[in-house]
Amino acid sequence: MTEPLDTPEDHPVLPPPRLGYDSATWKEIAYLLSSFPLSIFGFVYAVTMVALGAGLTVTVIGLPLIAAGLRGARLLGKAERGRARALLGVRIDEPSPLPMRRTGGFFGWLWTGLKDPVGWRTVLYEVIRLPWAVLTFALTLVGLLVLWPVLPFIARGLGNADRAMVRALLSPSDELERRIEELESDRGVVVDTAAADLRRIERDLHDGAQARLVNLAMGLGLAKEKLLEGQADEAVAAMVDEAHGEVKLALQELRDLARGIHPAVLTDRGLDAALSSVATRCTVPVKVTADLPGRPAEAIEGIAYFTVSELLQNVSKHSGARSASVDVWRSQDRLLIQVWDDGRGGASLDKGTGMSGLAERLDAVDGLFVVDSPDGGPTMITAELPWRDRTGSIRQG
């Protein structure tokens, strides 16, 4: 899994404070002065909600009141993030919303609300911010009246403390929130990919083997009628011969379809033999090197096979290469794949060659997909998958 990177929006570069009042300074002053009245409302809401809910826990409405209050605290947090974004330049991602459906009924809704870390951290923020808001309001007001020449420096220091408080308490639960978002996105990719594969299999069966089997049945039916009518043996033999050809073509199409779903050589002999078989069907000479201490889990092995298979199809169709190579090896807890060719280059994830789909498939299993293909070549594509053994657990290297 790739770690999220800090962006300039997360930590904006502010102009240095100076004696003159610029727009950034006025925004900081506005934030500091408006925090006092807003913090009174937030403090009263948080304390009342917690105290009232705790006091009523002996009744049936205490815990539901706290759960509903925590959902309301999320709205306060959203408003504070918007205010910090507008006046302090702090860019903070919104946390994942709580599920709207009551999964598990009323008690599921209740438990989800009570254990919401975003709501509880917002309550903590509203409670501890009131005394700080009183102090910053007083200092800013005095600075406007008496210390106005140095107020930009005071506002910057107080604003930085508020920025740190907002980031610490109103940010999403970093790793958990990001992981939830990744898994939701990956689930959608997996579902879409599975649906597309099912449609492809259905289309191939309908347009290929099924049509040939229908023709076969019709041909055999005509041959049977001619036999019953005592027709010449030559006509019947021709029909049977034609039906035999249809059978062979249908069998070949079924084999190709089965190979597209999960090739037998991959199941029987592993990734090395399966990739060598794929390489023989490429129009470019391909050297395959596999250095694996064992066989990874079937799902990982299948993804690796189809990744190489599609990349070699791209080499055949688009690269104009004279030679290519495939290297597969294990590095600690990762399975690495590199596909190289000496073609014209220029490959990317957004040129309709199917690479974006490969990248999405690998990302769905915490993999990586990197394309290095300058114009004029050569092209080097690196795919990385988690190594899992046949029992499904990740092996420690």
Side-chain angles (χ1 to χ4, degrees), residues 18-21 143-144 146-153:
R18 53 180 183 267
L19 294 179
Y21 285 43
L144 279 173
V146 180
L147 303 174
W148 57 267
V150 295
L151 181 57
F153 300 93

Side-chain angles (χ1 to χ4, degrees), residues 18-317:
R18 53 180 183 267
L19 294 179
Y21 285 43
D22 55 18
S23 61
T25 298
W26 282 117
K27 287 181 179 180
E28 289 171 331
I29 292 173
Y31 183 89
L32 296 172
L33 293 177
S34 62
S35 291
F36 176 56
L38 293 176
S39 66
I40 294 177
F41 174 80
F43 180 85
V44 171
Y45 176 87
V47 172
T48 302
M49 180 268 294
V50 173
L52 188 60
L56 293 175
T57 51
V58 295
T59 68
V60 295
I61 65 171
L63 293 179
L65 180 62
I66 294 178
L70 290 173
R71 291 175 182 258
R74 275 179 162 254
L75 298 178
L76 291 178
K78 182 177 182 179
E80 286 299 325
R81 282 187 293 272
R83 195 166 68 95
R85 186 181 306 114
L87 299 178
L88 296 181
V90 178
R91 307 291 180 181
I92 298 177
D93 294 334
E94 292 294 326
S96 299
L98 290 175
M100 298 301 295
R101 294 189 306 168
R102 296 187 177 185
T103 305
F106 170 76
F107 291 103
W109 172 87
L110 178 64
W111 176 242
T112 300
L114 289 176
K115 66 184 181 69
D116 177 23
V118 175
W120 283 113
R121 284 190 282 109
T122 304
V123 169
L124 178 62
Y125 173 82
E126 297 293 353
V127 170
I128 68 175
R129 196 185 60 160
L130 178 60
W132 173 250
V134 172
L135 176 62
T136 57
F137 178 84
L139 290 176
T140 305
L141 192 60
V142 170
L144 279 173
L145 299 176
V146 180
L147 303 174
W148 57 267
V150 295
L151 181 57
F153 300 93
I154 297 175
R156 178 56 53 83
L158 298 177
N160 285 339
D162 272 300
R163 290 182 181 94
M165 192 182 303
V166 169
R167 289 192 183 103
L169 295 178
L170 297 184
S171 294
S173 304
D174 297 330
E175 190 60 34
L176 178 60
E177 290 289 334
R178 291 190 179 98
R179 187 58 178 156
I180 290 173
E181 184 177 355
E182 280 186 13
L183 291 175
E184 289 177 347
S185 175
D186 293 346
R187 180 181 60 185
V189 171
V190 171
V191 171
D192 292 342
T193 301
D197 288 341
L198 287 175
R199 289 193 299 270
R200 176 182 60 81
I201 293 170
E202 180 183 9
R203 183 180 64 251
D204 291 345
L205 284 173
H206 182 272
D207 297 341
Q210 179 179 333
R212 294 195 180 280
L213 291 174
V214 170
N215 291 334
L216 170 64
M218 294 176 62
L220 291 176
L222 291 173
K224 178 181 178 182
E225 290 179 1
K226 290 185 177 297
L227 283 174
L228 293 176
E229 294 173 358
Q231 296 285 339
D233 294 339
E234 293 80 2
V236 175
M239 289 183 178
V240 172
D241 184 64
E242 183 179 353
H244 183 251
E246 291 288 340
V247 169
K248 291 193 292 183
L249 290 174
L251 288 175
Q252 182 60 44
E253 289 179 353
L254 288 173
R255 290 193 190 99
D256 293 340
L257 181 61
R259 185 183 296 116
I261 298 173
H262 197 86
V265 65
L266 180 62
T267 302
D268 298 338
R269 300 176 57 192
L271 197 57
D272 189 359
L275 295 183
S276 298
S277 176
V278 170
T280 61
R281 299 197 296 271
C282 184
T283 59
V284 176
V286 181
K287 178 183 178 182
V288 177
T289 303
D291 182 14
L292 299 175
R295 295 183 64 178
E298 292 181 0
I300 299 300
E301 195 173 60
I303 294 174
Y305 170 82
F306 288 111
T307 298
V308 174
S309 178
E310 186 155 344
L311 290 176
L312 290 182
Q313 287 182 28
N314 285 339
V315 171
S316 297
K317 296 177 181 178

Side-chain angles (χ1 to χ4, degrees), residues 310-352:
E310 186 155 344
L311 290 176
L312 290 182
Q313 287 182 28
N314 285 339
V315 171
S316 297
K317 296 177 181 178
H318 307 294
S319 70
R322 293 174 296 178
S323 62
S325 65
V326 176
D327 294 287
V328 183
W329 73 98
R330 179 187 174 183
S331 177
Q332 297 182 351
D333 294 328
R334 309 294 283 181
L335 175 64
L336 287 98
I337 303 166
Q338 281 190 342
V339 178
W340 173 92
D341 70 75
D342 60 357
R344 64 177 64 95
S348 68
L349 295 177
D350 56 359
K351 290 189 176 181

